[in-house]
Amino acid sequence: MRPRTWVLVLAAVFAVLQLANVTGRDTPDSKNYVSYALTLGGAGKREAAAETVDWVCAGDASAAERAQRVDVVRFHAPSPAARVSADCRTGELRRVERRLRAGGAQTDGHIVPFVGPRLRRIFEVRPGYPVFLLPFVTVFGVTWGVWLASVLVAGAGGVLVFLVLRTVSVPVPLALTGQVLYYVLPVGTTAMRPMAEGLMLALTLTAVWGCALALTGRAGTERSEGTARAARAARAGTGLVAGALVALFAVKHSQALFLGGCLAAAAAVVALWRHRHGRRPGRAVATIAAVACAAAAGTLLLARLLRYPSEAESVQDLLTGHYTHPDRAHPWREFLHLEVDFWVEWLRRQLLAPLFPAALAAGAWGARRRPAFGVFLLAAAGTGILTQAGHPDITIGGDRLIVLAWLLPVVGVPLLLEPLAHRPVQVPAQGSPRTVGVTR
């Protein structure tokens, strides 16, 4: 089969496997995104609340039923699905109705008031993912619409990994290996959750692909023929970087800021390294640096003009348990204290099961095979570390906040394995002693 056929087959296999869990992937934040999409489609707050709650409670009921089936004591008891669904629906709708009757700030914006106004405001400034969800939930309903949207964005992430690796001339089997790694590592699991992370991963990979195109001057697997084609590839690459950063502002503006700053820093490192070795930085590096700096500065400026929640507000959200406790008088001092304690505990837990650190080390070692591109790959993966550092909450499981760091092994490990693909296989010649001994 052609490489593109293998890419589609792997994406299709991944999609079929996701049918095992159509519901039950939601998190507490998912209700905000789904209700946002429904109200954008014209639903009223109560209608959006009812549809969202039905979807969430169906997942809870399904999870409760599956758990009881394998309970060593109660596996023979009646299914708890109906009771769990009813209790969930009653409790959620009662809280929403109470806030809707209160009016005022409780009913502002597009999101159904599952949470208080201050926390809801954080999600109101992230319209990108709800807009992406809108056509799916409109056509297919909430359950299948959310599932299809998640499969599409997660599958696209794997395809983008393949494109990135082929652009830097990795052999097809190893590029397909990168696509598989994206699906089977925690990246694929996180991308399937009905939250903004899947779209963030895909857009970040789009920016990485743009960097690869700009640096290599190649489109896909075809070699550039002359400076004109190289220039076109470079323009296409910088266009992808710019488009991804603009889209990220709508999905989660902090990621646009982190990625813009990290890519600008990576461009500076590459330029300095080339200068020290007597080479020019190159137009592609300079252009990426300009686009990244403009994105970072534009994100800061536009967030201020639109009065997005500030960094101080985010810290208060963290330290007060989503505003369930009074605001802290000295939030930054406490934040730094928590930051240190968090990373000490995080490292201790990683040493118990060091798959993640080992994967990061392998990915970083593989990235050395493409030095300039590897620096930009490290920069993109580093945004996961920054995201986690900005929200040092050890109770959030699944490495959701740091998931972008997994892009380093997903792309870097195939680069690490590249020498194996080019190593010749020794075959004994006919008539050699080994061959003769076998024939006898």
Side-chain angles (χ1 to χ4, degrees):
M1 291 191 292
R2 293 181 177 181
R4 70 185 64 178
T5 305
W6 277 111
V7 171
L8 294 176
V9 167
L10 289 176
V13 169
F14 173 77
V16 170
L17 294 177
Q18 303 315 304
L19 287 169
N21 294 280
V22 176
T23 60
R25 300 177 188 265
D26 60 286
T27 70
D29 294 345
S30 300
K31 293 182 291 187
N32 299 307
Y33 289 115
V34 172
S35 66
Y36 198 155
L38 291 171
T39 57
L40 287 176
K45 291 288 178 64
R46 286 180 172 82
E47 179 186 355
E51 292 188 48
T52 304
V53 167
D54 285 346
W55 169 67
V56 169
C57 295
D60 290 352
S62 178
E65 183 175 22
R66 291 195 301 270
Q68 179 159 313
R69 286 177 181 173
V70 292
D71 189 291
V72 294
V73 176
R74 296 175 295 175
F75 63 90
H76 49 73
S79 171
R83 174 180 53 80
V84 169
S85 179
D87 292 346
C88 169
R89 197 171 189 278
T90 301
E92 292 286 353
L93 291 179
R94 183 187 297 120
R95 284 189 290 271
V96 169
E97 187 62 33
R98 184 172 62 250
R99 289 192 170 103
L100 288 175
R101 286 198 301 266
Q106 295 285 356
T107 57
D108 290 344
H110 292 282
I111 299 176
V112 170
F114 293 108
V115 294
R118 291 177 71 183
L119 180 56
R120 199 165 63 249
R121 174 63 178 161
I122 294 176
F123 295 97
E124 288 280 358
V125 301
R126 302 175 185 174
Y129 182 61
V131 169
F132 173 74
L133 276 181
L134 176 58
F136 294 94
V137 297
T138 301
V139 175
F140 300 102
V142 174
T143 299
W144 286 104
V146 170
W147 182 86
L148 285 169
S150 300
V151 164
L152 179 62
V153 76
V159 174
L160 284 165
V161 170
F162 176 87
L163 293 172
V164 168
L165 290 168
R166 290 299 292 142
T167 300
V168 295
S169 302
V170 172
V172 170
L174 292 179
L176 293 170
T177 300
Q179 182 182 1
V180 172
L181 287 174
Y182 185 90
Y183 294 149
V184 302
L185 289 175
V187 200
T189 303
T190 303
M192 276 297 300
R193 290 177 178 170
M195 297 184 66
E197 275 72 19
L199 205 50
M200 283 170 49
L201 283 161
L203 291 172
T204 301
L205 278 169
T206 301
V208 173
W209 183 29
C211 292
L213 278 172
L215 291 169
T216 62
R218 296 174 182 175
T221 60
E222 301 176 3
R223 294 184 177 277
S224 60
E225 298 173 1
T227 58
R229 186 163 188 175
R232 287 197 299 271
R235 287 195 298 270
T238 52
L240 285 173
V241 174
L245 288 168
V246 170
L248 276 170
F249 181 85
V251 175
K252 192 176 182 181
H253 68 279
S254 61
Q255 176 61 13
L257 175 63
F258 291 157
L259 185 59
C262 287
L263 291 182
V269 170
V270 172
L272 180 61
W273 184 85
R274 289 179 174 179
H275 176 73
R276 293 187 62 180
H277 288 78
R279 298 170 55 192
R280 294 182 177 180
R283 182 176 297 179
V285 173
T287 305
I288 292 174
V291 169
C293 287
T299 297
L300 287 173
L301 179 60
L302 195 54
R304 293 293 184 268
L305 291 175
L306 296 176
R307 298 182 179 180
Y308 280 9
S310 64
E311 297 80 8
E313 188 72 6
S314 179
V315 171
Q316 290 288 4
D317 168 48
L318 171 70
L319 297 177
T320 60
H322 300 310
Y323 308 112
T324 58
H325 295 81
D327 283 7
R328 301 298 180 97
H330 305 286
W332 289 108
R333 184 190 309 167
E334 296 187 33
F335 176 80
L336 292 176
H337 187 169
L338 176 63
E339 190 80 53
V340 174
D341 291 345
F342 169 85
W343 287 110
V344 171
E345 175 62 16
W346 182 88
L347 182 60
R348 186 193 68 81
R349 296 188 184 192
Q350 294 303 313
L351 293 177
L352 289 174
L355 172 62
F356 185 41
L360 289 179
W365 194 255
R368 294 172 65 255
R369 295 187 56 80
R370 303 290 190 280
F373 168 73
V375 173
F376 285 98
L377 174 61
L378 281 166
T383 60
I385 306 296
L386 292 177
T387 301
Q388 182 69 82
H391 203 89
D393 187 351
I394 204 72
T395 64
I396 297 179
D399 294 330
R400 176 171 64 83
L401 294 175
I402 207 171
V403 69
L404 284 153
W406 278 101
L407 295 182
L408 181 58
V410 165
V411 178
V413 167
L415 287 169
L416 181 65
L417 298 176
E418 190 177 18
L420 299 179
H422 297 296
R423 182 176 298 176
V425 179
Q426 299 295 332
V427 179
Q430 290 185 357
S432 66
R434 183 181 301 176
T435 305
V436 172
V438 171
T439 56
R440 288 180 182 176

